[in-house]
Amino acid sequence: MHVIELDVRIFEHPVPLEKAIAAFAALTRGEVLHMIHRKNPLPLFDILEKQGGRYRSYEDENGIWHILIARDPAVDLESLDV
């Protein structure tokens, strides 16, 4: 499995959403996008679901959000430790 990191903390809306959508579109089988964000990007989740994507998000102890995104249904996002 290959994890691609996308840190969008320095960008203002809508750049993080645009970058995430572009990165999601480029994902291939077995790849996972690890998005790092200041917020939990709720609008992104609707877009991902409509395009067949899956995601898991969580906030770390520093208030940073980590969003794991996959297109491949075989990828187990719950087992990833990033």
Side-chain angles (χ1 to χ4, degrees):
M1 179 177 328
H2 179 66
V3 178
I4 300 166
E5 187 171 297
L6 176 65
D7 187 344
V8 296
R9 289 177 286 179
I10 65 169
F11 300 108
E12 296 297 327
H13 177 75
V15 175
L17 181 65
E18 294 168 346
K19 287 185 173 286
I21 291 170
F24 173 71
L27 285 178
T28 61
R29 187 179 190 110
E31 289 184 326
V32 173
L33 180 63
H34 174 205
M35 183 180 185
I36 303 167
H37 202 318
R38 293 172 285 140
K39 302 175 182 177
N40 196 19
L42 298 177
L44 174 62
F45 301 150
D46 285 339
I47 294 168
L48 292 173
E49 288 178 346
K50 288 177 182 171
Q51 295 184 13
R54 299 170 30 256
Y55 65 90
R56 175 173 72 107
S57 69
Y58 62 93
E59 185 178 24
D60 70 17
E61 65 277 3
N62 298 313
I64 303 300
W65 284 90
H66 299 266
I67 301 96
L68 302 172
I69 300 168
R71 177 184 297 278
D72 185 347
V75 172
D76 182 6
L77 294 176
E78 297 300 323
S79 69
L80 292 176
D81 185 26
V82 293

